[in-house]
Amino acid sequence: MTPANVDAFVHDLQAQGVKLGTLRNRLFELLAVISSIAPGADWSWLRARANLQSRRAKASTVNARFLDIVIVVAACERALSAASHPLPRKSIPGYRNWLILYFLAYIPVRLCNLASLELGRHLAKGNGEWLVTLQPEETKKGANTRPRASAPGPAP
């Protein structure tokens, strides 16, 4: 375990697109494992690296800007209602993007879950509402998710 090897490990994770918080977690996990394997060694350099990454992750969270859901929904509704019917072929991708944004404003799911949604399996209409059901094995934290669309909207 050397600083150069840890730098290479960090570089590989960054190349994979790992988020700052996940990178921080991997460094602290590495520190915990190596400290238990070689408890007498000086791992202060690794702890300093993990702490630096922790500060970066925290700063990125603090600086993150979230859109107001009311503004997002209003923009989506304007764009969707302004679309001509039937949609010209060249307008379909833009319309789809507005529908996705509208959906995510009401039912925030991870992008991998969004990409895997299937009508009849994940999306079903019941009692006049669209229900989104994700099984525990399909979610990051293994939680059974069943959010409801809380406002009327275009049918997916």
Side-chain angles (χ1 to χ4, degrees), residues 64-146:
R65 293 200 172 134
F66 296 97
L67 294 173
D68 184 337
I69 190 170
V70 174
I71 294 170
V72 171
V73 167
C76 290
E77 288 175 347
R78 278 193 307 274
L80 294 171
S81 65
S84 61
H85 297 285
L87 279 175
R89 192 174 214 49
K90 66 179 183 172
S91 299
I92 292 173
Y95 192 81
R96 176 208 56 211
N97 293 346
W98 281 109
L99 280 173
I100 290 170
L101 186 58
Y102 192 77
F103 176 86
L104 290 173
Y106 283 106
I107 305 172
V109 295
R110 296 175 60 81
L111 292 180
C112 61
N113 291 122
L114 176 67
S116 68
L117 291 177
E118 296 176 25
L119 277 172
R121 179 170 167 226
H122 298 105
L123 295 166
K125 196 167 191 177
N127 298 329
E129 290 184 301
W130 281 96
L131 302 175
V132 179
T133 305
L134 299 171
Q135 299 303 316
E137 61 274 7
E138 297 174 308
T139 64
K140 181 176 180 179
K141 295 182 180 181
N144 194 0
T145 313
R146 202 172 163 89

Side-chain angles (χ1 to χ4, degrees), residues 34-86:
I34 200 64
S35 295
S36 66
I37 292 172
D42 178 16
W43 300 114
S44 59
W45 62 269
L46 182 54
R47 183 173 287 104
R49 179 70 190 262
N51 285 332
L52 173 65
Q53 189 59 42
S54 183
R55 287 190 299 277
R56 286 180 180 159
K58 187 174 183 178
S60 73
T61 303
V62 169
N63 293 331
R65 293 200 172 134
F66 296 97
L67 294 173
D68 184 337
I69 190 170
V70 174
I71 294 170
V72 171
V73 167
C76 290
E77 288 175 347
R78 278 193 307 274
L80 294 171
S81 65
S84 61
H85 297 285

